[in-house]
């Protein structure tokens, strides 16, 4: 406690999601005294409403898909009697609860003081938590990690039942027979895939001219093909005109890319049009802080993720692009800020080398630049695409997909690796190392990929770019 009666700590972290708790854990491991303020549960959106519960449900969906594949493709006379929704939910909740207990125990073991309540800034490095009637002053630094919430569209009021956001879609009652998903980014595609696997009729609407519009155009093309093959009605270049909630569902009018107006009826409308940073109640002005017009807290120094107010840092979804709003990027940001505050040398986050994954069926995974991005940035580009159906293991899975590698022309460094297909989320780590270490195709081509695996398609693409093509013409 300091002279004016306020509590002190080396580091105060506001927000206990992935960015916040990773900052707290690393700072504590470096010997700093840390206070973490969280108004809900440590773990944040990712653990309780996003990454973990959604991937648990997507695994269940994959098992359902496997039953259909066994019967229709492999002659295994299996049938699906029913989906026991309460049992599925119980397993999901158990996974979340065990992860939550693990994070709590880790913080306690590290000596991080967790304060339950809503933080309000009272100065550049001071925080008030009214629920516990206490105020803290940070000796070294204050870290803002307050996360994000789902965006919605004008006129759409989520009710948790007929109109839902990505935060509450998994917790809405029961399984709908039909779903209209607004938003064809990673979140929207994942929820469209999940509901289709469990038997719903799904319409996926994206305003851009293709789904997952931030990814390489070939990724969008292969993913669209895979989703349509599964019976999902994919409508890119389409916009919601209006909607109304009915007794038994939702009716929406959508204008497609040709200017035609379509009426779509579904039991549930799922809004997945992005996320907005959360700063309400923080009183940023009291610390001399401002946000940009989108609500993000913009660092003055990206190498340290430090704002224009010295000693005040930002991690996670509160950061604007080039930060990616991904949990694993938040972990890296937390490590950087904690090490910066402890005086330990730490490399800035290389956002171009952060993997991006969509856990749909088929999956997508990418790291680095798309072919179009590379050209816009002035690179002379070479690219090679290898269909997964060109390797034996890809034929076994039978889901299509591809590997695409983008490099500087003439055998220069690898700029991007892009994958579509089964289990590619588990394959992208290789691409992350290749891009992050500025490897060239010849560097990768001399390493042997196991046969038969999906990963050998990655190896084949690099062999081709290195002038040593084996199975490609």
């Amino acid at each position: 406690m300091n002279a004016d009666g306020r509590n002190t700590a080396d580091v105060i972290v506001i927000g206990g999601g992935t960015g916040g708790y990773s900052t707290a854990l690393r700072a504590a491991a470096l010997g700093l005294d840390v206070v973490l303020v969280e108004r809900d549960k440590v773990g944040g959106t990712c653990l309780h409403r996003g990454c973990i519960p959604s991937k648990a449900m997507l695994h269940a969906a994959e098992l359902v898909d496997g039953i259909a594949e066994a019967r229709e493709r492999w002659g295994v006379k299996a049938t699906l009697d029913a989906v026991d929704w309460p049992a599925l939910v119980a397993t999901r909740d158990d996974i979340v609860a065990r992860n939550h207990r693990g994070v709590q125990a880790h913080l306690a073991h590290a000596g991080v003081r967790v304060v339950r309540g809503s933080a309000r800034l009272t100065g550049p490095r001071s925080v008030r938590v009214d629920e516990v009637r206490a105020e803290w002053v940070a000796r070294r630094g204050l870290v803002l990690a307050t996360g994000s919430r789902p965006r919605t569209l004008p006129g759409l009021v989520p009710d948790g039942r007929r109109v839902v956001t990505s935060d509450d879609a998994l917790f809405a009652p029961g399984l709908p027979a039909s779903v209209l998903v607004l938003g064809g980014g990673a979140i929207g595609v994942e929820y469209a895939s999940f509901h289709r696997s469990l038997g719903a009729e799904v319409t996926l609407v994206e305003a851009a001219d293709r789904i997952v519009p931030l990814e390489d155009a070939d990724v969008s093309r292969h993913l669209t093909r895979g989703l349509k093959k599964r019976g999902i009605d994919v409508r890119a270049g389409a916009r919601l005109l209006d909607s109304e909630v009915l007794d038994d569902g939702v009716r929406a009018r959508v204008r497609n890319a040709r200017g035609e107006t379509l009426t779509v009826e579904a039991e549930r409308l799922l809004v997945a049009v992005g996320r907005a940073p959360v700063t309400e109640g923080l009183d940023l002005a009291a610390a001399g802080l401002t946000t940009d017009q989108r609500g993000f807290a913009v660092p003055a120094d990206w190498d340290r993720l430090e704002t224009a107010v010295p000693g005040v840092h930002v991690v996670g979804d509160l950061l604007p692009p080039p930060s990616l709003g991904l949990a694993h990027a938040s972990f890296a940001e937390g490590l950087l800020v904690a090490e910066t505050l402890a005086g330990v040398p730490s490399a800035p986050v290389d956002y171009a080398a952060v993997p991006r994954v969509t856990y749909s069926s088929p999956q997508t995974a990418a790291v680095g630049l798309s072919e179009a991005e590379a050209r816009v940035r002035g690179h002379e580009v070479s690219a090679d695409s290898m269909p997964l159906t060109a390797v034996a293991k890809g034929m076994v899975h039978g889901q299509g997909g591809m590997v695409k590698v983008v490099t500087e022309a003439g055998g220069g460094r690898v700029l991007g690796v892009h994958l579509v297909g089964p289990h590619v989320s588990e394959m992208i780590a290789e691409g992350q190392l290749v891009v992050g270490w500025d490897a060239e195709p010849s560097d990768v081509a001399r390493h042997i990929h196991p046969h038969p695996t999906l990963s050998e398609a990655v190896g084949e693409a690099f062999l081709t770019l290195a002038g040593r093509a084996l199975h490609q013409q």
Side-chain angles (χ1 to χ4, degrees), residues 1 7-12 32-34 113 125 137-142:
M1 187 173 291
N7 301 295
T8 60
D10 291 325
V11 179
I12 300 171
L32 301 182
D33 178 32
V34 183
R113 289 179 287 169
R125 295 194 192 179
V137 176
R139 292 186 289 266
R140 296 209 183 193
L142 175 67

Side-chain angles (χ1 to χ4, degrees), residues 441-464:
S442 59
D443 296 322
V444 185
R446 69 169 181 252
H447 296 288
I448 300 169
H449 289 72
H451 171 80
T453 65
L454 294 173
S455 69
E456 69 178 307
V458 177
E460 290 275 355
F462 281 109
L463 280 168
T464 298

Side-chain angles (χ1 to χ4, degrees), residues 19 143-148 151 275-279 291-292 294-307 312-326 329-334 336-337 349 351:
V143 183
L144 304 178
T146 48
S148 63
R151 295 183 186 274
R275 299 185 67 85
V278 172
T279 57
T291 62
D292 68 8
R294 299 164 296 175
F296 293 109
V298 182
D301 183 350
W302 276 92
D303 288 353
R304 296 164 53 89
L305 298 181
E306 188 172 22
T307 69
V312 180
H313 299 254
V314 188
V315 299
D317 289 1
L318 204 54
L319 285 167
S323 182
L324 299 169
L326 300 172
S330 297
F331 288 139
E333 291 160 355
L336 167 62
V337 168
V349 177
Y351 289 106

